[in-house]
Amino acid sequence: MSTTNKDHVDVAVVGAGMLGLAHAFAALKRGLRVAVFERTSTPIGASIRNFGQALVTGQPPGVMLGLAKQSRELWLHLSQRANFSVREGGVLLFARSAAEQAVLEEFMIVRARQHGYDVSLLEGEQLAALYGGRFRHHRAALHGTADLQLYSREAIPALVCYLQSQGVQFYFNTLVKEAGDGQLSTTAGEFRAERTIVCSGHDYQTLFAEQLGAMNLKVCRLQMLRAKTREPLALTHPVLTGLSCTHYGAFSDLPSAAALDAEIEANTPAIKRHGIHLLVSPTPYQELIIGDSHYYGVDAPPFNNEEIDQIFIDLTEHTLGVKLDVLERWQGVYGSKGPGPFSVTRIDDHTTVSLMHTGIGMSVGLGLGERVVSALLDNTALPDPAVDTQ
Ligand SMILES: Cc1cc2nc3c(=O)[nH]c(=O)nc-3n(C[C@H](O)[C@H](O)[C@H](O)COP(=O)(O)OP(=O)(O)OC[C@H]3O[C@@H](n4cnc5c(N)ncnc54)[C@H](O)[C@@H]3O)c2cc1C
């Protein structure tokens, strides 16, 4: 299948974000000649702006849980080869109130064992023993032991270097203007590809605008912080709170999560209004990445709201019991409100579009890349979030 013509590859991937790299890796593993086209000089999209949490625990049973478990194995495989750090200690999700605790308890009883989540609920002495008693002021902690955490701004460039070292050709600063029927028209010239996989994130207008327009997609825009703690805190787990239980599919359909949601709306309307749920990821440099808020729309408003950042700081200081100094603030944008959490769309016999429509691409992207490339090569059904084939 491989060819020696530099402008003719087996698989062309558009976009060097998490999804593009995942599909490129899956094609490379199958011995294919792969080229990746990225319009910026280095990946600067959603994939380097995130928390780097590869969450298994948060995914709903079925396709998404299966993808997250598959992605976990791929992250561990790649971290060894591409030489980036990955935390394997799992996440801690703290219940700060009776309503948050009720969701964790219901999850443990009705879902955890039945669907094979690797979790334990820490209460009483086990909770008190965590980090020398620092988290005693909470009611319980769910320890998700399968969850990983990466430092995305280092892991994504490391993945690019690794794929380059294995022969994947990267064309940075190269916009793909048109694609279809085995041809790509780019700002670096014309290319031919047996298969083109478009992983263009939340850009719905450059390629296949009509097809994507029909899906009525939106973007989600989030505020983020990087901060350091005033006194040393050797945090080695990513931290979440019960607020995430109303957000992640593993919990959000439980009856106790609806009660929690109502409580959040009644007691902390600004948290509800800004779609805030607290995630804290420790970086390898004793700093914390903190967020996030959720604004959904056709475009991402450029103006950061200080009320949101202040809520992050207050929530983090209370949850971790530390004072913070903010080092950096940024926005992240990801694709959202699609027909499901992801979509894989066949445009023609040579061209496929693979997109995430919710903020879990680091958790499931590697698995999705595997399944899309397998389906294309084996000529089987493309992955569909509504169809659990595993
Ligand atoms: C703030 C934030 C926090 C998040 N936290 C997490 C988390 O902790 N865990 C998790 O699982 N997920 C998280 N996510 C979601 C995750 O980051 C995304 O789902 C994932 O990064 C999407 O990857 P992508 O490759 O589709 O998009 P992107 O990373 O945005 O990449 C798309 C790339 O395509 C390029 N491109 C588009 N069109 C063209 C074209 N025509 N020609 C050339 N190049 C093109 C763009 O320049 C871009 O580099 C978070 C997202 C954000 C924003």
Side-chain angles (χ1 to χ4, degrees):
M1 198 161 194
S2 288
T3 154
T4 50
N5 180 348
K6 122 176 181 351
D7 299 334
H8 188 176
V9 293
D10 298 322
V11 176
V13 176
V14 181
M18 179 72 252
L19 250 64
L21 300 179
H23 289 76
F25 175 58
L28 172 76
K29 276 202 313 186
R30 288 156 177 84
L32 300 177
R33 193 170 133 88
V34 184
V36 179
F37 298 87
E38 168 56 55
R39 67 179 163 204
T40 55
S41 61
T42 180
I44 55 164
S47 304
I48 63 139
R49 301 181 189 209
N50 56 41
F51 298 95
Q53 295 189 6
L55 288 179
V56 177
T57 306
Q59 311 309 330
V63 179
M64 303 313 286
L65 183 59
L67 281 171
K69 287 183 174 179
Q70 187 176 1
S71 300
R72 177 183 200 278
E73 297 314 309
L74 291 163
W75 274 123
L76 292 174
H77 171 92
L78 279 168
S79 67
Q80 300 281 316
R81 282 150 189 88
N83 203 22
F84 55 84
S85 66
V86 56
R87 290 185 195 275
E88 294 184 56
V91 299
L92 292 171
L93 190 159
F94 290 106
R96 304 162 304 148
S97 65
E100 291 183 357
Q101 187 175 16
V103 184
L104 299 190
E105 286 172 350
E106 188 179 5
F107 172 75
M108 291 303 288
I109 293 165
V110 308
R111 187 153 288 168
R113 196 173 309 151
Q114 188 188 350
H115 293 284
Y117 290 90
D118 293 318
V119 288
S120 52
L121 191 61
L122 311 180
E123 293 171 302
E125 284 179 9
Q126 285 178 310
L127 178 66
L130 272 180
Y131 289 86
R134 172 173 290 277
F135 297 116
R136 244 195 208 111
H137 57 302
H138 300 306
R139 301 176 74 107
L142 185 74
H143 185 198
T145 51
D147 303 300
L148 303 176
Q149 191 224 316
L150 317 137
Y151 191 38
S152 299
R153 61 179 80 178
E154 293 183 351
I156 292 290
L159 261 180
V160 170
C161 285
Y162 171 68
L163 294 175
Q164 277 172 327
S165 76
Q166 300 301 301
V168 174
Q169 185 71 44
F170 278 82
Y171 295 87
F172 283 109
N173 285 316
T174 302
L175 177 75
V176 178
K177 297 182 287 183
E178 277 181 62
D181 290 326
Q183 308 281 339
L184 291 98
S185 173
T186 83
T187 49
E190 304 297 311
F191 292 80
R192 282 181 297 142
E194 296 303 317
R195 290 186 177 80
T196 298
I197 307 176
V198 177
C199 302
S200 46
H202 61 277
D203 179 334
Y204 308 137
Q205 287 178 336
T206 308
L207 296 174
F208 310 117
E210 279 180 20
Q211 290 92 331
L212 298 184
M215 291 163 83
N216 198 23
L217 303 171
K218 300 283 186 294
V219 300
C220 178
R221 173 255 198 223
L222 310 88
Q223 286 183 206
M224 300 285 285
L225 305 175
R226 182 169 59 92
K228 65 178 173 20
T229 57
R230 287 198 191 149
E231 68 259 34
L233 168 61
L235 188 69
T236 56
H237 298 83
V239 164
L240 298 85
T241 71
L243 291 171
S244 293
C245 294
T246 62
H247 191 84
Y248 286 124
F251 316 97
S252 59
D253 62 337
L254 298 171
S256 52
L260 171 60
D261 196 42
E263 185 180 282
I264 293 167
E265 184 154 24
N267 296 347
T268 49
I271 287 185
K272 179 77 181 170
R273 189 168 64 249
H274 298 303
I276 290 173
H277 68 128
L278 183 70
L279 281 81
V280 179
S281 286
T283 76
Y285 309 105
Q286 287 79 51
E287 297 157 350
L288 305 173
I289 293 184
I290 298 168
D292 55 5
S293 55
H294 295 79
Y295 167 90
Y296 298 96
V298 173
D299 294 309
F303 306 111
N304 276 17
N305 180 337
E306 186 58 25
E307 181 187 37
I308 292 176
D309 288 0
Q310 199 50 56
I311 292 173
F312 292 160
I313 293 167
D314 292 346
L315 283 172
T316 310
E317 290 186 344
H318 171 261
T319 303
L320 302 184
V322 281
K323 286 287 176 195
L324 296 176
D325 289 312
V326 176
L327 302 171
E328 201 174 54
R329 300 170 195 257
W330 69 95
Q331 289 188 6
V333 182
Y334 60 70
S336 76
K337 306 281 179 198
F342 65 84
S343 64
V344 185
T345 309
R346 194 183 293 275
I347 301 288
D348 60 43
D349 285 350
H350 300 269
T351 318
T352 306
V353 179
S354 186
L355 299 177
M356 288 303 306
H357 303 303
T358 185
I360 55 169
M362 299 300 282
S363 307
V364 302
L366 284 169
L368 183 60
E370 278 296 311
R371 293 188 191 184
V372 170
V373 169
S374 290
L376 290 175
L377 294 183
D378 301 344
N379 211 12
T380 54
L382 290 167
D384 178 337
V387 181
D388 192 2
T389 52
Q390 302 293 306

